[in-house]
Amino acid sequence: DLCTACCTSHSSDTPNTSGLGVPSHFPSFSVEFELAVGWGSYSELRRALVLLKHGFIRTKDGSVDDEYKSPIYQSLSPFQSVLPVLSDLSDLVNDACGTHLHVSFPVKERLRPLHERIFAPLVTHLEEHEEETIAFWGRTFNDYACQLLGSYWACFNLCTSYDTLEFRLPRFQSAPQYLAIVRFCRIVTFFLLQHLSAASDPDVPMMGQRVLSTYLNCLEQFSQRVA
């Protein structure tokens, strides 16, 4: 059973600081799972309270009905255990929702001046392959996940309150799809962490191409799994 206090919606800036899993060399991550029923029955939203039993906290976001913030996952294993629950709630993820992913990134100030150039090849590819982008990410660019990488609503966003790189483009569609997103985002963030921590003069064109090639590789693996 869940107590009334646990079910209460917190403010949108409330962090979930609990951690799960065993740390690995890949960065930790957390998920913001947005839900909306539009003109549907708000009683349906109560189904999502089950997420509280998995360490999520319930918050309010003005653009949707509810947002559940996950614990900070140190590894994939505890996240994979909750994926079936998220799948059961996927009918409450409508066109207004995003499923934002935060990946730990303590050197984000080093990335800031290089941000646009590093992600430009990937953004261009996503723009030119809209159907492919929707199949992988669950949607394409929009007002809350835009191509303008310097803005607060950037699809690959550094304007966060935490030492994280935020991926705003994902929208949860299925467990295999979102797991593929998490894997890609952690691999890319790990690469950026390694390179920016070690190189005094980063090779920006190489980094941009590496981000794009990593995406294409993860996309191919995902396509093979769901074929």
Side-chain angles (χ1 to χ4, degrees), residues 81-96:
S81 70
V82 80
L83 276 172
V85 181
L86 300 182
S87 289
D88 288 342
L89 300 171
S90 61
D91 60 304
L92 302 178
V93 180
N94 68 16
D95 289 345

Side-chain angles (χ1 to χ4, degrees), residues 178-193:
Y178 203 81
L179 185 57
I181 289 172
V182 169
R183 284 177 167 147
F184 163 69
C185 295
R186 291 181 84 206
I187 291 170
V188 160
T189 307
F190 178 62
F191 162 70
L192 294 175
L193 275 168

Side-chain angles (χ1 to χ4, degrees), residues 8 19 46 63 79 85 92 101 111 145 156 164 184 186 204 222:
T8 301
R46 294 194 60 80
S63 63
F79 178 65
V85 181
L92 302 178
L101 178 68
L111 176 61
F156 308 117
T164 62
F184 163 69
R186 291 181 84 206
V204 174
F222 169 67

Side-chain angles (χ1 to χ4, degrees), residues 44-188:
E44 283 292 288
L45 289 172
R46 294 194 60 80
R47 290 166 42 207
L49 293 175
V50 67
L51 291 172
L52 302 179
K53 297 181 178 180
H54 294 270
F56 284 66
I57 62 171
R58 184 185 184 192
T59 67
K60 275 295 176 189
D61 186 307
S63 63
V64 294
D65 294 320
D66 273 327
E67 179 181 78
Y68 284 82
K69 295 185 178 181
S70 79
I72 298 169
Y73 296 109
Q74 306 286 346
S75 57
L76 273 181
S77 180
F79 178 65
Q80 287 177 294
S81 70
V82 80
L83 276 172
V85 181
L86 300 182
S87 289
D88 288 342
L89 300 171
S90 61
D91 60 304
L92 302 178
V93 180
N94 68 16
D95 289 345
C97 301
T99 310
H100 305 154
L101 178 68
H102 284 262
V103 184
S104 177
F105 196 70
V107 298
K108 72 178 185 179
E109 291 309 314
R110 290 211 64 194
L111 176 61
R112 198 176 299 278
L114 314 174
H115 183 208
E116 294 188 39
R117 287 183 290 156
I118 287 175
F119 280 98
L122 176 56
V123 169
T124 298
H125 179 88
L126 298 180
E127 286 182 303
E128 293 175 351
H129 300 81
E130 184 172 298
E131 291 186 10
E132 176 191 280
T133 298
I134 294 171
F136 185 84
W137 296 95
R139 59 180 177 174
T140 188
F141 299 110
N142 57 80
D143 290 344
Y144 294 101
C146 67
Q147 303 98 312
L148 301 175
L149 295 176
S151 78
Y152 179 80
W153 308 110
C155 54
F156 308 117
N157 180 35
L158 288 174
C159 300
T160 70
S161 302
Y162 316 103
D163 285 336
T164 62
L165 176 55
E166 182 186 23
F167 296 84
R168 298 186 59 85
L169 192 54
R171 173 185 289 149
F172 190 95
Q173 299 290 288
S174 68
Q177 171 250 1
Y178 203 81
L179 185 57
I181 289 172
V182 169
R183 284 177 167 147
F184 163 69
C185 295
R186 291 181 84 206
I187 291 170
V188 160

Side-chain angles (χ1 to χ4, degrees), residues 1-15:
D1 292 338
L2 296 166
C3 67
T4 302
C6 294
C7 297
T8 301
S9 292
H10 301 275
S11 64
S12 61
D13 60 354
T14 304

